[in-house]
């Protein structure tokens, strides 16, 4: 190797050593960030559990038919429901809103039913992606919005459980992924164009993570995520979108929830009822 080449090689090696030393110097900060993120995640999970347990304890009684929602917070609700059934010998029938909810019910040994056999429910408990001050919800981040709305609509009482991150004064403040809209596959392009034209923003086809192509719902449909630009009259918008041919359902739940439970960072549970008009 010539002296000139060796000099270039030495400079390159020195550069790698410098970069490696910089990374090692930053490692404690990296660990600190990871520890903080883990702490925040643990806090959010505990908040979900607090909200779920409070809702099940306050709204579920013996000889009831209970609608079981979908999502990460519902896992804790089913845990508590199964615990109470065992401890208090409750007679509870569960109607799921999704494949996930059905599996949770079966895994916990709870009685599984459906809307054919139990078309009227005593209470439905479900999570939300965002809840505003009027208890208007955005749901459907997990793709189960249609079944969730059907089950909630069949219940005498619809109760929402969430952690503090889902609490907003106005929709869109916390949840940035938009309003889910379930559509017939052949209609996703015209529906997307119509929603954007009439209400602004953009409605994008939700793509799958672990499969090629779009997300496919339990009903074999597609989902559009409508990222709106500003606050709307959600009751009117919900109705108008549902009137577009090809739309199955929206993730806007307007005037449906009668109470929301929020698990808070300090370990308390905040309860919110709809405003009295």
């Amino acid at each position: 190797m010539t002296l000139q080449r060796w000099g270039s090689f030495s400079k390159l090696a020195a550069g790698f050593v410098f970069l490696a030393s910089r990374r090692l110097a930053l490692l404690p900060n990296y660990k600190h960030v990871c520890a903080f993120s883990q702490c925040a995640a643990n806090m959010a999970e505990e908040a979900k559990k607090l909200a779920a347990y409070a809702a099940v304890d306050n709204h579920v009684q013996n000889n009831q038919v209970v609608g079981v929602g979908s999502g990460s917070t519902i896992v804790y609700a089913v845990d508590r429901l199964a615990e109470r059934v065992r401890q208090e010998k409750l007679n509870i029938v569960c109607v799921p809103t999704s494949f996930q909810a059905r599996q949770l019910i079966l895994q916990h040994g709870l009685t599984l039913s459906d809307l054919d056999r139990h078309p009227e429910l005593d209470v439905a408990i479900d999570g939300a992606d965002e809840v505003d001050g009027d208890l208007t919800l955005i749901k459907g981040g997990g793709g189960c919005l249609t079944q969730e709305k059907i089950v909630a609509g069949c219940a005498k009482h619809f109760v929402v459980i969430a952690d503090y991150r889902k609490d907003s004064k106005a929709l869109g403040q916390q949840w940035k992924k938009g309003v889910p809209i379930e559509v017939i596959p052949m209609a996703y392009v015209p529906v997307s164009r119509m929603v954007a034209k009439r209400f602004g923003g953009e409605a994008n086809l939700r793509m799958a993570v672990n499969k090629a192509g779009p997300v496919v719902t339990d009903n074999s449909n597609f989902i559009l995520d409508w990222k709106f630009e500003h606050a709307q009259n959600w009751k009117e918008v919900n109705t108008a979108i549902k009137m577009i041919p090809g739309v199955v359902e929206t993730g806007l739940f307007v005037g449906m929830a009668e109470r929301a439970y929020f698990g808070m960072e300090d370990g308390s549970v905040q309860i919110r009822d709809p405003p009295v008009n």
Side-chain angles (χ1 to χ4, degrees):
M1 182 181 291
T2 66
L3 186 63
Q4 184 177 7
R5 287 182 179 178
W6 175 254
S8 299
F9 177 78
S10 299
K11 289 180 181 178
L12 184 62
F16 280 126
V17 170
F18 174 76
L19 288 173
S21 65
R22 289 287 295 169
R23 288 186 178 182
L24 286 173
L26 292 171
L27 192 56
N29 291 331
Y30 174 75
K31 288 181 178 179
H32 177 73
V33 170
C34 287
F36 178 79
S37 299
Q38 186 61 47
C39 181
N42 291 341
M43 188 181 296
E45 288 303 311
E46 184 62 28
K48 293 177 185 180
K49 183 176 179 179
L50 289 168
Y53 274 48
V56 171
D57 288 348
N58 290 344
H59 294 275
V60 176
Q61 301 174 12
N62 194 26
N63 297 317
Q64 283 189 332
V65 181
V66 178
V68 176
S70 306
S72 59
T73 310
I74 279 298
V75 173
Y76 297 108
V78 178
D79 285 345
R80 180 55 179 160
L81 184 59
E83 187 176 63
R84 287 193 59 199
V85 167
R86 289 193 303 270
Q87 293 176 352
E88 303 172 37
K89 309 299 181 185
L90 300 181
N91 177 34
I92 299 294
V93 173
C94 298
V95 175
T97 57
S98 65
F99 178 84
Q100 178 220 14
R102 183 180 185 276
Q103 294 304 108
L104 282 172
I105 292 165
L106 293 174
Q107 288 167 9
H108 284 78
L110 297 168
T111 302
L112 176 69
S113 189
D114 52 42
L115 293 177
D116 290 344
R117 288 171 286 182
H118 293 91
E120 186 174 287
L121 285 62
D122 294 291
V123 61
I125 300 175
D126 206 347
D129 298 310
E130 190 170 34
V131 185
D132 75 3
D134 296 327
L135 291 196
T136 299
L137 319 174
I138 291 179
K139 289 178 54 56
C144 308
L145 55 150
T146 298
Q147 301 99 298
E148 289 171 343
K149 192 176 281 190
I150 291 170
V151 170
C154 292
K156 298 174 185 175
H157 307 284
F158 176 42
V159 178
V160 176
I161 53 177
D163 64 79
Y164 53 89
R165 301 171 303 173
K166 310 300 177 63
D167 184 13
S168 294
K169 291 182 179 179
L171 296 185
Q173 184 180 31
Q174 301 283 0
W175 181 252
K176 303 299 183 182
K177 297 181 180 180
V179 175
I181 304 170
E182 185 164 347
V183 298
I184 301 297
M186 69 173 291
Y188 86 89
V189 171
V191 170
S192 175
R193 290 166 58 88
M194 183 66 72
V195 168
K197 180 179 179 181
R198 292 184 60 181
F199 307 107
E202 58 181 13
N204 298 316
L205 182 65
R206 186 185 297 182
M207 302 304 291
V209 176
N210 293 320
K211 68 173 280 289
V215 168
V216 179
T217 70
D218 288 357
N219 308 310
S220 300
N221 295 319
F222 290 171
I223 290 181
L224 298 174
D225 288 306
W226 171 45
K227 296 182 179 180
F228 53 90
E229 296 173 333
H230 51 79
Q232 311 263 354
N233 181 322
W234 296 117
K235 184 176 181 179
E236 292 181 0
V237 167
N238 179 57
T239 301
I241 291 177
K242 288 180 66 172
M243 293 301 294
I244 298 173
V247 171
V248 177
E249 190 53 88
T250 82
L252 288 167
F253 285 53
V254 185
M256 297 186 71
E258 70 173 44
R259 176 164 288 183
Y261 289 81
F262 296 99
M264 306 305 291
E265 295 168 284
D266 61 4
S268 64
V269 176
Q270 185 181 101
I271 299 174
R272 180 183 303 159
D273 295 331
V276 178
N277 296 325

